[in-house]
């Protein structure tokens, strides 16, 4: 049975803890690491874990992940807002012969939504009359904007549609940019909407999360899947395996 280190003990950390404790799986939480006991991120402590799950803040995520590589511990991260340092992290993973799993969103439903978004973007690619607008709504404690999920959606559109080659977190954009509107409201786990609008009609898809349980369950599944693997992985690797 797996011994899991939770790095970050906020709302997601507690949701993950609840999944592990109530699934009767035999897996256990070895550490609950937060700002008050960051000394447990040392190699001597971390190496006792079979896998780590990291949900913290953008400014600490990279050092947390690299600490896991240095301890030889597979690490799953769902922290968003740090991807400007993606190359640094993945290079360190390879150099350390480590194991890393990243997703902007661990919900199975959201990952189906990603696939639907890409299909729609490709289908609409040659229809020049449409503009695209994205909206994401999250709880007021979420610090980064746009959300990692919204960025993944925008990048999916850019890869599959000819018209758009960039995104901006603003209402006012140029013809080849995707507008992302970010809203923060009390108690909202996450809602994402993608709308293609022309003078004649609007085509809209939306995903609404009702709780954090779907995210937490996906993160636990990813952690258990990652044990004994080497390399850099994401949700498509796990879902298509």
């Amino acid at each position: 049975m797996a011994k899991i280190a939770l790095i970050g003990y906020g709302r997601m950390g507690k949701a993950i803890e609840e999944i592990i404790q109530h699934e009767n799986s035999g897996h256990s939480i070895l550490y609950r690491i937060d700002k008050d006991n960051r000394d447990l991120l040392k190699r001597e402590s971390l190496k006792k874990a079979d896998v780590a799950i990291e949900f913290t803040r953008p400014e600490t995520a990279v050092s947390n992940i690299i600490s896991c590589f240095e301890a030889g511990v597979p690490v799953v991260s769902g922290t968003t807002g740090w991807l400007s340092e993606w190359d640094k992290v993945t290079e360190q993973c390879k150099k350390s012969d480590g194991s890393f799993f990243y997703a902007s969103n661990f919900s199975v439903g959201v990952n189906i939504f990603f696939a639907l978004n890409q299909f729609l973007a490709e289908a609409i690619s040659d229809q020049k009359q449409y503009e695209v607008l994205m909206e994401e709504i999250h709880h007021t404690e979420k610090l980064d904007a746009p959300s990692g999920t919204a960025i993944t959606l925008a990048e999916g559109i850019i890869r599959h549609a000819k018209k758009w080659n960039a995104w901006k977190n603003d209402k006012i954009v140029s013809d080849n940019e995707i507008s992302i509107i970010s809203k923060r409201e009390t108690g909202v786990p996450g809602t994402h909407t993608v709308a293609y609008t022309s003078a004649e009609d609007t085509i809209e898809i939306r995903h609404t999360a009702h709780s954090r349980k779907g995210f937490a369950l996906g993160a636990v599944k990813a952690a258990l899947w990652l044990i004994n693997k080497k390399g850099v992985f994401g949700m498509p690797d796990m879902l298509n395996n």
Side-chain angles (χ1 to χ4, degrees):
M1 297 294 102
K3 293 177 289 186
I4 300 168
L6 289 182
I7 304 176
Y9 196 53
R11 293 188 178 190
M12 272 303 299
K14 290 181 173 67
I16 290 167
E17 177 183 54
E18 186 174 351
I19 292 289
I20 294 168
Q21 291 180 340
H22 289 84
E23 289 289 316
N24 295 318
S25 61
H27 305 300
S28 61
I29 298 173
L30 182 64
Y31 300 124
R32 297 163 182 81
I33 303 173
D34 212 353
K35 59 184 180 181
D36 296 327
N37 61 346
R38 287 185 58 82
D39 56 303
L40 289 174
L41 285 169
K42 293 178 181 177
R43 176 186 175 90
E44 293 73 21
S45 302
L46 276 180
K47 68 181 182 181
K48 297 175 184 177
D50 296 307
V51 65
I53 303 177
E54 195 270 351
F55 277 86
T56 59
R57 299 165 67 95
E59 61 267 26
T60 59
V62 172
S63 62
N64 294 339
I65 294 164
I66 290 176
S67 291
C68 292
F69 296 156
E70 292 172 345
V73 177
V75 55
V76 171
S77 177
T79 305
T80 58
W82 60 268
L83 292 185
S84 60
E85 297 187 76
W86 175 260
D87 289 345
K88 173 184 174 180
V89 168
T90 54
E91 285 170 13
Q92 185 62 44
C93 179
K94 293 171 186 175
K95 187 182 296 184
S96 304
D97 193 27
S99 309
F100 180 50
F101 190 114
Y102 174 76
S104 60
N105 195 307
F106 285 89
S107 161
V108 171
V110 164
N111 281 272
I112 294 171
F113 188 62
F114 287 156
L116 179 61
N117 174 62
Q118 292 174 13
F119 174 83
L120 182 55
E122 189 167 353
I124 214 164
S125 179
D126 292 323
Q127 305 301 318
K128 307 298 183 185
Q129 69 270 34
Y130 287 97
E131 298 297 330
V132 62
L133 172 68
M134 292 175 51
E135 180 184 83
E136 57 98 354
I137 309 172
H138 280 87
H139 52 88
T140 54
E141 292 84 1
K142 186 170 182 58
L143 300 179
D144 57 314
S147 67
T149 301
I151 293 172
T152 300
L153 288 165
E155 291 176 345
I157 294 170
I158 290 166
R159 285 196 307 273
H160 289 84
K162 300 172 186 175
K163 180 174 180 179
W164 297 283
N165 58 26
W167 59 265
K168 185 184 290 185
N169 196 209
D170 200 334
K171 289 182 179 179
I172 301 172
V173 297
S174 63
D175 288 343
N176 64 343
E177 292 178 322
I178 300 165
S179 172
I180 304 177
I181 306 302
S182 297
K183 297 180 179 179
R184 298 293 175 259
E185 299 177 5
T186 302
V188 179
T191 298
H192 293 83
T193 305
V194 183
Y196 293 90
T197 301
S198 72
E200 292 74 34
D201 59 14
T202 296
I203 304 168
E204 182 177 288
I205 57 173
R206 174 180 296 159
H207 179 274
T208 302
H210 301 305
S211 74
R212 290 180 175 80
K213 185 174 180 180
F215 310 142
L217 185 60
V220 172
K221 287 182 177 180
L224 300 177
W225 181 87
L226 186 62
I227 296 171
N228 296 323
K229 291 181 174 64
K230 298 291 184 183
V232 178
F233 304 97
M235 288 295 283
D237 300 300
M238 183 176 73
L239 295 176
N240 297 327
N241 196 303

